[in-house]
Amino acid sequence: FHTLGNASMKYNILDNLTFESKFGADLINQNEEYYYEPTLDYYVGAQGSGYNAWTQIQNYTTDNILNYRNTLAEKHDVNLVLGMSYNWVTETLTSVGGENFPNEDFTNLANAADITSGSVTDTNYRFLSYFSRANYKFDDKYLMTLSARVDGSSRFGKNNRYGFFPAASAGWVLSEEDFMDDIGAVSFLKLRASYGVTGNADISNFPSLGLYGGTAYAGSSALDPTQTPNPDLKWETTRQFDIGLDFGFFDDRINGQIDYYQKKTTDLLLNVNIPGTTGFASQLRNVGKLENKGFEFVINTVNLTGAFTWSSSFNIAFNNNKVTDLDGQIIEGGYVNRAVEGEPIGVFYTYEFAGADPSNGDALFFLNREPTQSELNNGSAFKVDGRFDGRYVTNSSNVAERTVVGNPNPDFTGGFQNTFSYKGFDLSMLWQFVYGNEIYNGGWYMSASGLYFDNQTVDQMNAWEEPGDVTDVPEARLYWDNGASTSSSRYLSDGSYARLKNLKLAYSLPQTLISKIDLRKAKVFVQGTNLITITDYPGWDPEVSTDYLDSNLALGNDFYAAPQPRTVSVGINFGF
């Protein structure tokens, strides 16, 4: 059961001054239950297995805003806003599992002979914000905005609950100036610039606290430390500068925007390696700096008018990012994602795969360092001429060095849409594209040289079979690891793609026809999504995101992620 509710009140204090109060509630009450039949004992190992869980989520939000708007001396427009916002969320999960049921007619968990698991989890978080904004416009030509907000979050340490985030922007509508009157081709031209500070609190709920969990020891209950405290944990902060141009030509038949931006992020929220003597491997801290900069370009055109119309929209965005400071650390995230100084965020940092050893079918890895003389003498590191361009390789990942082998961040992304209309028919087509990124397949079990019993990908048919075979697929050996289970660039692929995201054909029935049955409008349509995908990615879907790994470092990972469905729908819209 999902319940959404909103209530608001608006009061006009003065002609130009209003007060508005809003309250919203988002409530979820969810029950999940499953039962595995005894015949599926490969999965359950018992005479039936069952599970039942209740989830309750309460999300409350309130906003209170003062708004002042006035026009002074005709050409001066002023808008002032002052407000506060409060958000409170609590989540509760209760679950229990059991095994060994009497028969398939008694699948309620109460009939399980053995209750094998049980858990209760409570969590909550709160945000409290105070904000203000001032907009000023003079003669519809000169625009300025100043804003400031103070945000507080329960997720941060007691020493740094709040962050201060100001911003300013200015705009100049050049097309309203007298000197533009003689340039008839230009219908709109606006230059704008902005600078602002924003904060990030996208982390777990209690990372600043020292946490304990209940456990059992020698038949007695006990407390187990699960997290070390960090009372100084604070907001991740991004400072961004943007300059842009909005344009329109020939009565806006051609219009769009060009933007250049530069973002510098400090106090990154990352899990940092700490000494094992603390009892923990890592701790969430504010460490390091990150820089993003790039261009964004949008152009919209009206190509044809009249009985047959055709309009287009094209956008493309280029972004380059680099971790500029991490205090010398390499920070882990995802399967093989890392934050490395001097590299883009989330690069793939692992062993570099070199194919199969032609002599025995073992997996080979580039050494990525100079071998020692003893390694050369005993054959644990050796050089193969030609195929490896003289680089040293090894059949043991234990002696190879990990390195940056790929980048999950694309060089550019974009989309292209066209819309056509003729005598009641409408056709729209949207393509999207991503170029230059790589994807790591965490579901490598299906491409692991037969190491496991998963269905294998077609490329495994090219596996090494006899001495002298030259291939990138090591010998297939069921349950016998020949380096196939080593995380490496072997499971890295180009993630670039172009996709026909949406295609829709619609026909509006003539008004003379539908008016006879008292209809205002009637439109029939057929629509398809994800109809065509052009990609070299060997997995199921290049537009992938592995949810359970989701973080600011775990980028470009695939783990048996279900592909987006290709759908075709037919329908009719009525208006009375």
PDB file of all heavy atoms in Angstrom, residues 453-485:
ATOM      1  N   PHE A 453      29.234 -23.564 -13.637  1.00  0.00           N
ATOM      2  CA  PHE A 453      28.258 -24.257 -14.473  1.00  0.00           C
ATOM      3  C   PHE A 453      27.232 -23.306 -15.083  1.00  0.00           C
ATOM      4  O   PHE A 453      26.236 -23.745 -15.634  1.00  0.00           O
ATOM      5  CB  PHE A 453      27.523 -25.327 -13.657  1.00  0.00           C
ATOM      6  CG  PHE A 453      27.163 -24.883 -12.272  1.00  0.00           C
ATOM      7  CD1 PHE A 453      26.124 -23.995 -12.053  1.00  0.00           C
ATOM      8  CD2 PHE A 453      27.902 -25.320 -11.188  1.00  0.00           C
ATOM      9  CE1 PHE A 453      25.813 -23.562 -10.781  1.00  0.00           C
ATOM     10  CE2 PHE A 453      27.597 -24.892  -9.908  1.00  0.00           C
ATOM     11  CZ  PHE A 453      26.546 -24.010  -9.699  1.00  0.00           C
ATOM     12  N   ASP A 454      27.453 -21.990 -14.985  1.00  0.00           N
ATOM     13  CA  ASP A 454      26.544 -21.051 -15.645  1.00  0.00           C
ATOM     14  C   ASP A 454      26.566 -21.288 -17.159  1.00  0.00           C
ATOM     15  O   ASP A 454      27.564 -21.734 -17.717  1.00  0.00           O
ATOM     16  CB  ASP A 454      26.981 -19.604 -15.390  1.00  0.00           C
ATOM     17  CG  ASP A 454      26.849 -19.222 -13.930  1.00  0.00           C
ATOM     18  OD1 ASP A 454      27.317 -20.001 -13.088  1.00  0.00           O
ATOM     19  OD2 ASP A 454      26.299 -18.154 -13.646  1.00  0.00           O
ATOM     20  N   ASN A 455      25.460 -20.969 -17.820  1.00  0.00           N
ATOM     21  CA  ASN A 455      25.475 -20.954 -19.277  1.00  0.00           C
ATOM     22  C   ASN A 455      26.601 -20.038 -19.743  1.00  0.00           C
ATOM     23  O   ASN A 455      26.777 -18.946 -19.202  1.00  0.00           O
ATOM     24  CB  ASN A 455      24.138 -20.452 -19.824  1.00  0.00           C
ATOM     25  CG  ASN A 455      23.053 -21.486 -19.672  1.00  0.00           C
ATOM     26  OD1 ASN A 455      23.333 -22.665 -19.505  1.00  0.00           O
ATOM     27  ND2 ASN A 455      21.807 -21.046 -19.745  1.00  0.00           N
ATOM     28  N   GLN A 456      27.356 -20.467 -20.746  1.00  0.00           N
ATOM     29  CA  GLN A 456      28.533 -19.733 -21.177  1.00  0.00           C
ATOM     30  C   GLN A 456      28.243 -18.893 -22.419  1.00  0.00           C
ATOM     31  O   GLN A 456      27.424 -19.260 -23.265  1.00  0.00           O
ATOM     32  CB  GLN A 456      29.674 -20.709 -21.467  1.00  0.00           C
ATOM     33  CG  GLN A 456      30.127 -21.484 -20.247  1.00  0.00           C
ATOM     34  CD  GLN A 456      30.781 -20.605 -19.188  1.00  0.00           C
ATOM     35  OE1 GLN A 456      31.877 -20.079 -19.386  1.00  0.00           O
ATOM     36  NE2 GLN A 456      30.118 -20.438 -18.056  1.00  0.00           N
ATOM     37  N   THR A 457      28.928 -17.758 -22.518  1.00  0.00           N
ATOM     38  CA  THR A 457      28.780 -16.886 -23.673  1.00  0.00           C
ATOM     39  C   THR A 457      29.455 -17.515 -24.893  1.00  0.00           C
ATOM     40  O   THR A 457      30.354 -18.358 -24.779  1.00  0.00           O
ATOM     41  CB  THR A 457      29.388 -15.504 -23.382  1.00  0.00           C
ATOM     42  OG1 THR A 457      30.726 -15.675 -22.873  1.00  0.00           O
ATOM     43  CG2 THR A 457      28.556 -14.766 -22.342  1.00  0.00           C
ATOM     44  N   VAL A 458      29.029 -17.072 -26.068  1.00  0.00           N
ATOM     45  CA  VAL A 458      29.462 -17.700 -27.312  1.00  0.00           C
ATOM     46  C   VAL A 458      30.972 -17.604 -27.515  1.00  0.00           C
ATOM     47  O   VAL A 458      31.589 -18.505 -28.089  1.00  0.00           O
ATOM     48  CB  VAL A 458      28.706 -17.059 -28.501  1.00  0.00           C
ATOM     49  CG1 VAL A 458      29.233 -17.597 -29.829  1.00  0.00           C
ATOM     50  CG2 VAL A 458      27.218 -17.327 -28.395  1.00  0.00           C
ATOM     51  N   ASP A 459      31.593 -16.538 -27.015  1.00  0.00           N
ATOM     52  CA  ASP A 459      33.033 -16.374 -27.232  1.00  0.00           C
ATOM     53  C   ASP A 459      33.850 -17.498 -26.596  1.00  0.00           C
ATOM     54  O   ASP A 459      35.015 -17.702 -26.955  1.00  0.00           O
ATOM     55  CB  ASP A 459      33.502 -15.016 -26.713  1.00  0.00           C
ATOM     56  CG  ASP A 459      33.335 -14.892 -25.212  1.00  0.00           C
ATOM     57  OD1 ASP A 459      32.294 -15.327 -24.687  1.00  0.00           O
ATOM     58  OD2 ASP A 459      34.244 -14.348 -24.558  1.00  0.00           O
ATOM     59  N   GLN A 460      33.252 -18.249 -25.651  1.00  0.00           N
ATOM     60  CA  GLN A 460      33.973 -19.350 -25.020  1.00  0.00           C
ATOM     61  C   GLN A 460      34.231 -20.508 -25.984  1.00  0.00           C
ATOM     62  O   GLN A 460      35.034 -21.406 -25.694  1.00  0.00           O
ATOM     63  CB  GLN A 460      33.204 -19.844 -23.797  1.00  0.00           C
ATOM     64  CG  GLN A 460      32.989 -18.783 -22.727  1.00  0.00           C
ATOM     65  CD  GLN A 460      34.294 -18.173 -22.251  1.00  0.00           C
ATOM     66  OE1 GLN A 460      35.114 -18.839 -21.630  1.00  0.00           O
ATOM     67  NE2 GLN A 460      34.506 -16.903 -22.565  1.00  0.00           N
ATOM     68  N   MET A 461      33.549 -20.491 -27.134  1.00  0.00           N
ATOM     69  CA  MET A 461      33.818 -21.492 -28.162  1.00  0.00           C
ATOM     70  C   MET A 461      35.217 -21.323 -28.763  1.00  0.00           C
ATOM     71  O   MET A 461      35.720 -22.222 -29.439  1.00  0.00           O
ATOM     72  CB  MET A 461      32.767 -21.411 -29.272  1.00  0.00           C
ATOM     73  CG  MET A 461      31.343 -21.679 -28.800  1.00  0.00           C
ATOM     74  SD  MET A 461      31.095 -23.368 -28.231  1.00  0.00           S
ATOM     75  CE  MET A 461      31.207 -24.250 -29.787  1.00  0.00           C
ATOM     76  N   ASN A 462      35.827 -20.167 -28.516  1.00  0.00           N
ATOM     77  CA  ASN A 462      37.175 -19.912 -29.039  1.00  0.00           C
ATOM     78  C   ASN A 462      38.262 -20.255 -28.029  1.00  0.00           C
ATOM     79  O   ASN A 462      39.397 -19.776 -28.137  1.00  0.00           O
ATOM     80  CB  ASN A 462      37.301 -18.440 -29.448  1.00  0.00           C
ATOM     81  CG  ASN A 462      36.322 -18.059 -30.533  1.00  0.00           C
ATOM     82  OD1 ASN A 462      36.067 -18.841 -31.448  1.00  0.00           O
ATOM     83  ND2 ASN A 462      35.766 -16.858 -30.433  1.00  0.00           N
ATOM     84  N   ALA A 463      37.943 -21.056 -27.026  1.00  0.00           N
ATOM     85  CA  ALA A 463      38.894 -21.372 -25.962  1.00  0.00           C
ATOM     86  C   ALA A 463      40.099 -22.155 -26.500  1.00  0.00           C
ATOM     87  O   ALA A 463      40.011 -22.886 -27.494  1.00  0.00           O
ATOM     88  CB  ALA A 463      38.202 -22.172 -24.864  1.00  0.00           C
ATOM     89  N   TRP A 464      41.233 -21.996 -25.792  1.00  0.00           N
ATOM     90  CA  TRP A 464      42.450 -22.756 -26.093  1.00  0.00           C
ATOM     91  C   TRP A 464      42.167 -24.242 -25.957  1.00  0.00           C
ATOM     92  O   TRP A 464      41.493 -24.688 -25.011  1.00  0.00           O
ATOM     93  CB  TRP A 464      43.537 -22.327 -25.117  1.00  0.00           C
ATOM     94  CG  TRP A 464      44.874 -22.975 -25.329  1.00  0.00           C
ATOM     95  CD1 TRP A 464      45.927 -22.464 -26.015  1.00  0.00           C
ATOM     96  CD2 TRP A 464      45.310 -24.244 -24.818  1.00  0.00           C
ATOM     97  NE1 TRP A 464      46.997 -23.323 -25.982  1.00  0.00           N
ATOM     98  CE2 TRP A 464      46.644 -24.445 -25.258  1.00  0.00           C
ATOM     99  CE3 TRP A 464      44.697 -25.229 -24.058  1.00  0.00           C
ATOM    100  CZ2 TRP A 464      47.368 -25.583 -24.933  1.00  0.00           C
ATOM    101  CZ3 TRP A 464      45.413 -26.373 -23.746  1.00  0.00           C
ATOM    102  CH2 TRP A 464      46.735 -26.544 -24.185  1.00  0.00           C
ATOM    103  N   GLU A 465      42.726 -25.049 -26.885  1.00  0.00           N
ATOM    104  CA  GLU A 465      42.514 -26.497 -26.836  1.00  0.00           C
ATOM    105  C   GLU A 465      43.805 -27.308 -26.861  1.00  0.00           C
ATOM    106  O   GLU A 465      43.891 -28.358 -26.233  1.00  0.00           O
ATOM    107  CB  GLU A 465      41.611 -26.934 -27.995  1.00  0.00           C
ATOM    108  CG  GLU A 465      40.183 -26.402 -27.888  1.00  0.00           C
ATOM    109  CD  GLU A 465      39.294 -26.918 -29.000  1.00  0.00           C
ATOM    110  OE1 GLU A 465      39.766 -27.766 -29.791  1.00  0.00           O
ATOM    111  OE2 GLU A 465      38.134 -26.476 -29.079  1.00  0.00           O
ATOM    112  N   GLU A 466      44.813 -26.827 -27.578  1.00  0.00           N
ATOM    113  CA  GLU A 466      46.051 -27.594 -27.685  1.00  0.00           C
ATOM    114  C   GLU A 466      47.220 -26.641 -27.841  1.00  0.00           C
ATOM    115  O   GLU A 466      47.053 -25.486 -28.253  1.00  0.00           O
ATOM    116  CB  GLU A 466      45.988 -28.560 -28.862  1.00  0.00           C
ATOM    117  CG  GLU A 466      45.738 -27.893 -30.201  1.00  0.00           C
ATOM    118  CD  GLU A 466      45.563 -28.901 -31.321  1.00  0.00           C
ATOM    119  OE1 GLU A 466      45.065 -30.018 -31.077  1.00  0.00           O
ATOM    120  OE2 GLU A 466      45.935 -28.540 -32.459  1.00  0.00           O
ATOM    121  N   PRO A 467      48.437 -27.109 -27.488  1.00  0.00           N
ATOM    122  CA  PRO A 467      49.624 -26.240 -27.572  1.00  0.00           C
ATOM    123  C   PRO A 467      49.768 -25.628 -28.959  1.00  0.00           C
ATOM    124  O   PRO A 467      49.577 -26.295 -29.977  1.00  0.00           O
ATOM    125  CB  PRO A 467      50.774 -27.201 -27.256  1.00  0.00           C
ATOM    126  CG  PRO A 467      50.155 -28.242 -26.387  1.00  0.00           C
ATOM    127  CD  PRO A 467      48.774 -28.440 -26.921  1.00  0.00           C
ATOM    128  N   GLY A 468      50.069 -24.318 -28.938  1.00  0.00           N
ATOM    129  CA  GLY A 468      50.217 -23.576 -30.175  1.00  0.00           C
ATOM    130  C   GLY A 468      49.008 -22.733 -30.529  1.00  0.00           C
ATOM    131  O   GLY A 468      49.105 -21.830 -31.367  1.00  0.00           O
ATOM    132  N   ASP A 469      47.838 -22.993 -29.886  1.00  0.00           N
ATOM    133  CA  ASP A 469      46.650 -22.182 -30.149  1.00  0.00           C
ATOM    134  C   ASP A 469      46.871 -20.758 -29.649  1.00  0.00           C
ATOM    135  O   ASP A 469      47.317 -20.548 -28.520  1.00  0.00           O
ATOM    136  CB  ASP A 469      45.424 -22.772 -29.451  1.00  0.00           C
ATOM    137  CG  ASP A 469      44.907 -24.019 -30.147  1.00  0.00           C
ATOM    138  OD1 ASP A 469      45.379 -24.306 -31.253  1.00  0.00           O
ATOM    139  OD2 ASP A 469      44.025 -24.705 -29.571  1.00  0.00           O
ATOM    140  N   VAL A 470      46.563 -19.797 -30.478  1.00  0.00           N
ATOM    141  CA  VAL A 470      46.665 -18.385 -30.113  1.00  0.00           C
ATOM    142  C   VAL A 470      45.257 -17.838 -29.991  1.00  0.00           C
ATOM    143  O   VAL A 470      44.517 -17.745 -30.974  1.00  0.00           O
ATOM    144  CB  VAL A 470      47.468 -17.588 -31.159  1.00  0.00           C
ATOM    145  CG1 VAL A 470      47.499 -16.107 -30.781  1.00  0.00           C
ATOM    146  CG2 VAL A 470      48.877 -18.137 -31.276  1.00  0.00           C
ATOM    147  N   THR A 471      44.824 -17.491 -28.764  1.00  0.00           N
ATOM    148  CA  THR A 471      43.468 -17.039 -28.496  1.00  0.00           C
ATOM    149  C   THR A 471      43.457 -16.187 -27.241  1.00  0.00           C
ATOM    150  O   THR A 471      44.397 -16.228 -26.433  1.00  0.00           O
ATOM    151  CB  THR A 471      42.516 -18.243 -28.323  1.00  0.00           C
ATOM    152  OG1 THR A 471      41.204 -17.769 -27.981  1.00  0.00           O
ATOM    153  CG2 THR A 471      43.005 -19.183 -27.237  1.00  0.00           C
ATOM    154  N   ASP A 472      42.392 -15.410 -27.071  1.00  0.00           N
ATOM    155  CA  ASP A 472      42.215 -14.619 -25.859  1.00  0.00           C
ATOM    156  C   ASP A 472      41.338 -15.325 -24.836  1.00  0.00           C
ATOM    157  O   ASP A 472      40.983 -14.729 -23.810  1.00  0.00           O
ATOM    158  CB  ASP A 472      41.585 -13.259 -26.209  1.00  0.00           C
ATOM    159  CG  ASP A 472      42.576 -12.341 -26.893  1.00  0.00           C
ATOM    160  OD1 ASP A 472      43.782 -12.501 -26.638  1.00  0.00           O
ATOM    161  OD2 ASP A 472      42.141 -11.474 -27.676  1.00  0.00           O
ATOM    162  N   VAL A 473      40.952 -16.588 -25.099  1.00  0.00           N
ATOM    163  CA  VAL A 473      40.089 -17.341 -24.181  1.00  0.00           C
ATOM    164  C   VAL A 473      40.868 -18.525 -23.627  1.00  0.00           C
ATOM    165  O   VAL A 473      41.205 -19.453 -24.372  1.00  0.00           O
ATOM    166  CB  VAL A 473      38.815 -17.837 -24.892  1.00  0.00           C
ATOM    167  CG1 VAL A 473      37.908 -18.559 -23.891  1.00  0.00           C
ATOM    168  CG2 VAL A 473      38.077 -16.673 -25.545  1.00  0.00           C
ATOM    169  N   PRO A 474      41.196 -18.511 -22.320  1.00  0.00           N
ATOM    170  CA  PRO A 474      41.927 -19.641 -21.735  1.00  0.00           C
ATOM    171  C   PRO A 474      41.156 -20.953 -21.859  1.00  0.00           C
ATOM    172  O   PRO A 474      39.966 -20.975 -22.155  1.00  0.00           O
ATOM    173  CB  PRO A 474      42.088 -19.224 -20.265  1.00  0.00           C
ATOM    174  CG  PRO A 474      41.982 -17.735 -20.279  1.00  0.00           C
ATOM    175  CD  PRO A 474      40.991 -17.421 -21.358  1.00  0.00           C
ATOM    176  N   GLU A 475      41.846 -22.039 -21.600  1.00  0.00           N
ATOM    177  CA  GLU A 475      41.247 -23.366 -21.714  1.00  0.00           C
ATOM    178  C   GLU A 475      40.057 -23.508 -20.774  1.00  0.00           C
ATOM    179  O   GLU A 475      40.073 -23.031 -19.630  1.00  0.00           O
ATOM    180  CB  GLU A 475      42.285 -24.439 -21.387  1.00  0.00           C
ATOM    181  CG  GLU A 475      41.753 -25.856 -21.552  1.00  0.00           C
ATOM    182  CD  GLU A 475      42.757 -26.906 -21.114  1.00  0.00           C
ATOM    183  OE1 GLU A 475      43.689 -26.551 -20.356  1.00  0.00           O
ATOM    184  OE2 GLU A 475      42.615 -28.071 -21.516  1.00  0.00           O
ATOM    185  N   ALA A 476      38.999 -24.175 -21.236  1.00  0.00           N
ATOM    186  CA  ALA A 476      37.818 -24.437 -20.409  1.00  0.00           C
ATOM    187  C   ALA A 476      38.108 -25.582 -19.453  1.00  0.00           C
ATOM    188  O   ALA A 476      38.434 -26.688 -19.883  1.00  0.00           O
ATOM    189  CB  ALA A 476      36.622 -24.772 -21.300  1.00  0.00           C
ATOM    190  N   ARG A 477      38.001 -25.297 -18.139  1.00  0.00           N
ATOM    191  CA  ARG A 477      38.304 -26.313 -17.120  1.00  0.00           C
ATOM    192  C   ARG A 477      37.262 -26.208 -16.003  1.00  0.00           C
ATOM    193  O   ARG A 477      37.345 -25.332 -15.146  1.00  0.00           O
ATOM    194  CB  ARG A 477      39.697 -26.098 -16.540  1.00  0.00           C
ATOM    195  CG  ARG A 477      40.820 -26.086 -17.582  1.00  0.00           C
ATOM    196  CD  ARG A 477      42.145 -25.693 -16.950  1.00  0.00           C
ATOM    197  NE  ARG A 477      43.203 -25.515 -17.936  1.00  0.00           N
ATOM    198  CZ  ARG A 477      44.404 -25.032 -17.655  1.00  0.00           C
ATOM    199  NH1 ARG A 477      44.704 -24.695 -16.414  1.00  0.00           N
ATOM    200  NH2 ARG A 477      45.298 -24.887 -18.607  1.00  0.00           N
ATOM    201  N   LEU A 478      36.299 -27.074 -16.011  1.00  0.00           N
ATOM    202  CA  LEU A 478      35.238 -27.031 -15.017  1.00  0.00           C
ATOM    203  C   LEU A 478      35.811 -27.232 -13.608  1.00  0.00           C
ATOM    204  O   LEU A 478      36.516 -28.206 -13.342  1.00  0.00           O
ATOM    205  CB  LEU A 478      34.187 -28.105 -15.311  1.00  0.00           C
ATOM    206  CG  LEU A 478      32.979 -28.137 -14.382  1.00  0.00           C
ATOM    207  CD1 LEU A 478      32.193 -26.826 -14.473  1.00  0.00           C
ATOM    208  CD2 LEU A 478      32.072 -29.315 -14.706  1.00  0.00           C
ATOM    209  N   TYR A 479      35.515 -26.259 -12.720  1.00  0.00           N
ATOM    210  CA  TYR A 479      35.942 -26.286 -11.314  1.00  0.00           C
ATOM    211  C   TYR A 479      37.469 -26.225 -11.145  1.00  0.00           C
ATOM    212  O   TYR A 479      37.980 -26.481 -10.071  1.00  0.00           O
ATOM    213  CB  TYR A 479      35.408 -27.526 -10.596  1.00  0.00           C
ATOM    214  CG  TYR A 479      33.912 -27.559 -10.463  1.00  0.00           C
ATOM    215  CD1 TYR A 479      33.202 -28.684 -10.848  1.00  0.00           C
ATOM    216  CD2 TYR A 479      33.218 -26.469  -9.959  1.00  0.00           C
ATOM    217  CE1 TYR A 479      31.826 -28.723 -10.734  1.00  0.00           C
ATOM    218  CE2 TYR A 479      31.843 -26.498  -9.847  1.00  0.00           C
ATOM    219  CZ  TYR A 479      31.142 -27.620 -10.241  1.00  0.00           C
ATOM    220  OH  TYR A 479      29.781 -27.653 -10.131  1.00  0.00           O
ATOM    221  N   TRP A 480      38.186 -25.882 -12.200  1.00  0.00           N
ATOM    222  CA  TRP A 480      39.652 -25.829 -12.089  1.00  0.00           C
ATOM    223  C   TRP A 480      40.093 -24.461 -12.567  1.00  0.00           C
ATOM    224  O   TRP A 480      40.156 -24.197 -13.749  1.00  0.00           O
ATOM    225  CB  TRP A 480      40.277 -26.962 -12.919  1.00  0.00           C
ATOM    226  CG  TRP A 480      41.770 -27.011 -12.816  1.00  0.00           C
ATOM    227  CD1 TRP A 480      42.563 -26.441 -11.871  1.00  0.00           C
ATOM    228  CD2 TRP A 480      42.659 -27.673 -13.726  1.00  0.00           C
ATOM    229  NE1 TRP A 480      43.879 -26.677 -12.110  1.00  0.00           N
ATOM    230  CE2 TRP A 480      43.978 -27.457 -13.248  1.00  0.00           C
ATOM    231  CE3 TRP A 480      42.491 -28.426 -14.875  1.00  0.00           C
ATOM    232  CZ2 TRP A 480      45.097 -27.950 -13.892  1.00  0.00           C
ATOM    233  CZ3 TRP A 480      43.622 -28.924 -15.507  1.00  0.00           C
ATOM    234  CH2 TRP A 480      44.906 -28.702 -15.020  1.00  0.00           C
ATOM    235  N   ASP A 481      40.387 -23.616 -11.635  1.00  0.00           N
ATOM    236  CA  ASP A 481      40.666 -22.221 -11.956  1.00  0.00           C
ATOM    237  C   ASP A 481      42.033 -22.084 -12.607  1.00  0.00           C
ATOM    238  O   ASP A 481      43.052 -22.483 -12.033  1.00  0.00           O
ATOM    239  CB  ASP A 481      40.603 -21.376 -10.675  1.00  0.00           C
ATOM    240  CG  ASP A 481      40.618 -19.887 -10.970  1.00  0.00           C
ATOM    241  OD1 ASP A 481      40.703 -19.528 -12.147  1.00  0.00           O
ATOM    242  OD2 ASP A 481      40.542 -19.103 -10.008  1.00  0.00           O
ATOM    243  N   ASN A 482      42.065 -21.536 -13.808  1.00  0.00           N
ATOM    244  CA  ASN A 482      43.323 -21.273 -14.497  1.00  0.00           C
ATOM    245  C   ASN A 482      43.546 -19.775 -14.672  1.00  0.00           C
ATOM    246  O   ASN A 482      44.113 -19.332 -15.649  1.00  0.00           O
ATOM    247  CB  ASN A 482      43.342 -21.974 -15.859  1.00  0.00           C
ATOM    248  CG  ASN A 482      42.220 -21.474 -16.770  1.00  0.00           C
ATOM    249  OD1 ASN A 482      41.355 -20.719 -16.336  1.00  0.00           O
ATOM    250  ND2 ASN A 482      42.241 -21.895 -18.016  1.00  0.00           N
ATOM    251  N   GLY A 483      43.060 -19.003 -13.690  1.00  0.00           N
ATOM    252  CA  GLY A 483      43.159 -17.545 -13.757  1.00  0.00           C
ATOM    253  C   GLY A 483      41.894 -16.893 -14.231  1.00  0.00           C
ATOM    254  O   GLY A 483      41.797 -15.665 -14.275  1.00  0.00           O
ATOM    255  N   ALA A 484      40.878 -17.692 -14.572  1.00  0.00           N
ATOM    256  CA  ALA A 484      39.639 -17.136 -15.109  1.00  0.00           C
ATOM    257  C   ALA A 484      38.853 -16.354 -14.065  1.00  0.00           C
ATOM    258  O   ALA A 484      38.097 -15.442 -14.397  1.00  0.00           O
ATOM    259  CB  ALA A 484      38.765 -18.263 -15.673  1.00  0.00           C
ATOM    260  N   SER A 485      39.016 -16.718 -12.791  1.00  0.00           N
ATOM    261  CA  SER A 485      38.246 -16.030 -11.742  1.00  0.00           C
ATOM    262  C   SER A 485      38.932 -14.751 -11.262  1.00  0.00           C
ATOM    263  O   SER A 485      38.396 -14.060 -10.392  1.00  0.00           O
ATOM    264  CB  SER A 485      38.016 -16.971 -10.559  1.00  0.00           C
ATOM    265  OG  SER A 485      39.248 -17.267  -9.916  1.00  0.00           O
TER     266      SER A 485
END
